[in-house]
Amino acid sequence: MEAEGVGAVDVSVVVPAYGSRTSLDRCLTSLLVQRVRKEIIVVDDGASEEVRRLLRLYAVYHPGVVRVIQEPGPGLPGRMRNRGLDAARGRFVYFGDPEEELGPEVLGRMLAVADGQGADIVLRAAEGRAFPRAAAREALADGSVYDDLTCAKLFRRSMLERHRIRFDETLRIGEDMVFAVHAYCHAEVISAVAVGERGGPPSRREEPSGDPLAWLQMIRVPLAVLGRHVPPGPLRDRLLARHFRLDVLSQLGAPFLAAREEDREKIVAETADICAQWLTRGVLDLLSLTDRARVEALDDITHLVRLAEVEQARLTHRLTGLEWQGDRLLICGRVALDGIPGRPGLILRERASGREWRPGVTSVADLICAVIPARSLPAGVWDVHAVVECHGTRRTAPFGQVRDANVTVPRLRFAGRRVVGPFFTPDGRLGVDVGGHVIRVPGSVRLTRTEWVGRRLRVDGRVRVAKAPAAPAVRQLVWRERTSGLEVREPAAVTGPGTFSAQTCGFWPGVWDAYLELDVGGPPLRFPVKVDCPENLGRSLRWWRGPVRWTARPYATAVNRRLSTSVVVSSPRVVFRRLVRRIRRT
């Protein structure tokens, strides 16, 4: 780790001076309140006189913290940031945006993670941004990390100097991306931290310019950097797939439709040349169906136009019916692409793994009815999507947010030893839970009797899940000691469609509460064993183990009528005293 001393700087913040005076003022104010040892380097290469007066005020009132570097004449963004980086003294460098306003804890939290993890790069995991979650250490192969290719991060300056990482001063667009790609290639540890933000630029992801041809020509630079520093293999394929998905093939969408006919040929030629150089079989396998269709159509501009029209067309959908018919869930609605004929339907996508399951669909025009057999759908949380297939590709969208007023969620079904139930997410999207992962599973366990078989307590009962007999899902009877949390598990036998039986021994002193554990396809479920009739409780059992008397008494709790067993150990002296007291009372 870099040495620290008196007056040492932890973070150098480099800010180019462009934009309005008001936004720059707010940006600098938010940087001054950051709780780190810092320096703020503002690079001015021709700002307005109003902005320059503001910078002089900051430099006067905050000497040693705010430094202003004057650059002769207007320059490209890369040159301004390089001048600030050359002047930086901090252990870390943060490249700020004059239109960005940081929350007061942002740099402090990022610095703490960088020092704690030994990170070379720290990303901000802010809600609604390119990288949505915090993590102490992240792999470069994680797409959510590499998706963020701007310089709004904390970089270890020694890494930048050791590998001579600088901004490309010849680029008018994309200099952030080239810098970030180069830094990612040499970072040994990458971290992300959740931070609060009051404001900021519209997006932290480098957005393509309005000129798709210029953007494609620029993309060759970061691809070349990636090719020099990452050897061929799965990692390079994953990183290249990000560029093809967001930077290369995306130019054959809306920008392609907006371009003139003669420019479309140039865009296709540039894209085809990039594909010939960098598109491997491994990269192709990671692309979406639409992107693979674009690659196959690079020699057919007419088909590329159709694909772009499909991508830009409005996908309309409406949920009109949701009900059970026996053990089959029926989902009815309307799905269509405006102005483009296609085959409508539904797909279910498992939330954790991303695998897809296609139900049988009957369709007439834009009317569809999908049938989901409860016993056939694998366990998991399945999000329902509307889909329209046409021209060798498809469009999908979450289904259920637009629905008829009379559509309600039907109750869960217990079928095939699993619970299956539709649900709506907080934002109204339709999903199907198989196994009780995200929705509460209603169930009840009722005691029918207890009896002692030797020193084993036998418990018989009835179990229902979603109002259906659920004995096939029974796993075991669990006795949990109320104070210590110690558990005793005993296998439970199925004695009927809705009944079970289990025998238990091995109690230790304490109060033991009874739970029945079920396997309904997802996380194990536990329901307390309730006592409807106290007459069903067996007698207490007493026995001697050496000089000690044991007493086990099953009973129903006073409040919830749950089955519990009290186990008490009495020494001979205690037994004698109780006997004497009983004699005296008589």
Side-chain angles (χ1 to χ4, degrees):
M1 182 178 292
E2 297 87 350
E4 298 185 21
V6 178
V9 176
D10 286 325
V11 181
S12 297
V13 184
V14 177
V15 182
Y18 61 80
S20 69
R21 179 189 186 280
T22 302
S23 62
L24 182 60
D25 188 16
R26 290 175 178 171
C27 170
L28 296 178
T29 299
S30 73
L31 293 174
L32 284 171
V33 300
Q34 299 295 313
R35 296 180 177 90
V36 296
R37 294 182 297 181
K38 60 188 174 292
E39 63 175 356
I40 303 171
I41 303 171
V42 185
V43 182
D44 172 18
D45 69 342
S48 66
E49 186 58 35
E50 185 181 27
V51 170
R52 288 185 170 178
R53 285 198 298 269
L54 175 69
L55 295 179
R56 285 195 292 268
L57 285 175
Y58 271 97
V60 169
Y61 283 99
H62 302 282
V65 178
V66 177
R67 288 194 286 156
V68 180
I69 297 178
Q70 300 289 342
E71 274 291 300
L76 297 176
R79 188 179 77 175
M80 298 172 68
R81 289 191 170 118
N82 280 342
R83 297 303 172 271
L85 178 55
D86 291 340
R89 298 173 296 161
R91 295 188 297 123
F92 294 89
V93 181
Y94 181 88
F95 296 97
D97 189 290
E99 297 178 353
E100 179 181 43
E101 185 180 359
L102 296 182
E105 302 291 336
V106 170
L107 293 184
R109 292 183 183 179
M110 296 177 78
L111 180 63
V113 170
D115 285 336
Q117 299 296 326
D120 294 317
I121 301 177
V122 181
L123 299 81
R124 288 154 42 193
E127 182 179 357
R129 298 302 180 94
F131 189 80
R133 62 187 178 87
R137 292 190 174 210
E138 278 294 339
L140 184 57
D142 187 332
S144 55
V145 172
Y146 195 70
D147 277 358
D148 184 357
L149 291 183
T150 68
C151 60
K153 306 174 182 66
L154 201 65
F155 296 91
R156 189 176 294 274
R157 188 166 66 90
S158 61
M159 177 197 69
L160 301 179
E161 298 298 337
R162 183 166 59 253
H163 298 287
R164 303 182 61 83
I165 301 173
R166 289 295 189 271
F167 291 89
D168 192 321
E169 298 187 11
T170 66
L171 295 177
R172 293 186 175 274
I173 56 174
E175 78 288 342
D176 271 22
M177 180 182 294
V178 178
F179 183 90
V181 168
H182 196 179
Y184 273 139
C185 290
H186 293 290
E188 296 182 3
V189 179
I190 303 170
S191 299
V193 58
V195 295
E197 298 181 75
R198 290 197 299 267
S203 172
R204 285 175 56 195
R205 176 179 293 157
E206 183 75 29
E207 296 292 345
S209 69
D211 184 350
L213 192 59
W215 182 263
L216 288 170
Q217 292 168 347
M218 181 279 298
I219 283 299
R220 292 179 177 273
V221 181
L223 291 179
V225 171
L226 183 62
R228 286 197 302 270
H229 297 288
V230 180
L235 175 58
R236 185 200 271 192
D237 287 343
R238 290 186 65 85
L239 302 184
L240 286 172
R242 179 262 182 229
H243 289 287
F244 275 98
R245 185 178 73 252
L246 299 177
D247 303 322
V248 179
L249 298 174
S250 62
Q251 302 307 305
L252 298 177
F256 190 67
L257 285 180
R260 297 175 301 177
E261 188 170 346
E262 56 270 24
D263 290 335
R264 288 178 180 175
E265 295 181 359
K266 298 177 182 178
I267 294 171
V268 172
E270 194 73 25
T271 303
D273 193 48
I274 294 175
C275 289
Q277 185 175 2
W278 296 105
L279 186 64
T280 65
R281 170 53 60 181
V283 174
L284 191 63
D285 291 341
L286 295 172
L287 298 180
S288 67
L289 179 65
T290 298
D291 284 339
R292 291 198 297 270
R294 286 169 172 160
V295 172
E296 294 174 359
L298 286 175
D299 57 350
D300 187 348
I301 292 181
T302 302
H303 190 51
L304 286 174
V305 171
R306 291 198 197 100
L307 292 174
E309 290 173 343
V310 170
E311 182 185 59
Q312 297 303 308
R314 179 169 170 261
L315 177 59
T316 60
H317 51 85
R318 186 179 191 86
L319 175 63
T320 59
L322 184 63
E323 63 179 344
W324 287 104
Q325 286 190 356
D327 287 342
R328 301 187 307 167
L329 180 64
L330 268 61
I331 305 176
C332 300
R334 294 177 177 271
V335 178
L337 273 178
D338 286 354
I340 299 178
R343 185 161 66 93
L346 295 178
I347 59 172
L348 278 68
R349 186 172 295 140
E350 207 281 317
R351 190 173 295 178
S353 65
R355 60 179 171 168
E356 293 184 353
W357 191 87
R358 299 190 70 115
V361 174
T362 302
S363 62
V364 178
D366 65 338
L367 298 174
I368 63 167
C369 185
V371 179
I372 302 175
R375 299 173 184 268
S376 300
L377 190 61
V381 180
W382 298 84
D383 295 311
V384 182
H385 294 260
V387 60
V388 176
E389 297 177 330
C390 56
H391 299 302
T393 185
R394 72 181 189 185
R395 284 284 308 282
T396 64
F399 191 58
Q401 291 174 303
V402 180
R403 57 183 181 268
D404 289 351
N406 61 345
V407 175
T408 58
V409 177
R411 65 179 178 84
L412 278 76
R413 284 292 173 97
F414 180 77
R417 301 180 61 179
R418 299 179 305 172
V419 290
V420 181
F423 67 95
F424 289 114
T425 63
D427 61 354
R429 303 181 182 192
L430 177 62
V432 179
D433 185 353
V434 181
H437 296 80
V438 297
I439 57 181
R440 190 183 71 85
V441 178
S444 64
V445 181
R446 302 294 177 182
L447 177 73
T448 56
R449 70 167 181 167
T450 64
E451 67 171 342
W452 291 100
V453 181
R455 293 183 184 177
R456 299 179 68 88
L457 179 62
R458 174 175 172 175
V459 176
D460 295 338
R462 301 187 306 270
V463 56
R464 296 180 71 86
V465 170
K467 298 184 179 181
V474 170
R475 293 182 60 186
Q476 58 190 358
L477 185 67
V478 179
W479 292 92
R480 182 180 178 86
E481 206 285 312
R482 194 173 296 174
T483 302
S484 66
L486 180 67
E487 292 185 351
V488 174
R489 300 179 177 88
E490 296 289 351
V494 176
T495 58
T499 58
F500 69 94
S501 180
Q503 294 187 21
T504 305
C505 67
F507 285 122
W508 293 94
V511 179
W512 299 81
D513 298 317
Y515 298 87
L516 188 66
E517 186 171 284
L518 308 179
D519 179 5
V520 293
L525 296 180
R526 286 186 180 182
F527 295 103
V529 180
K530 298 285 188 76
V531 180
D532 290 333
C533 300
E535 304 84 46
N536 295 334
L537 293 170
R539 59 181 174 80
S540 298
L541 180 69
R542 296 181 178 89
W543 69 93
W544 290 88
R545 183 177 295 172
V548 177
R549 189 180 75 175
W550 291 64
T551 303
R553 180 177 65 90
Y555 70 98
T557 60
V559 178
N560 295 316
R561 311 298 296 171
R562 296 184 176 185
L563 175 63
S564 297
T565 298
S566 171
V567 180
V568 179
V569 175
S570 303
S571 66
R573 178 179 298 179
V574 172
V575 174
F576 178 74
R577 287 177 179 175
R578 289 177 180 172
L579 180 60
V580 170
R581 286 197 300 269
R582 188 175 301 172
I583 294 173
R584 287 177 178 175
R585 283 197 297 267
T586 58

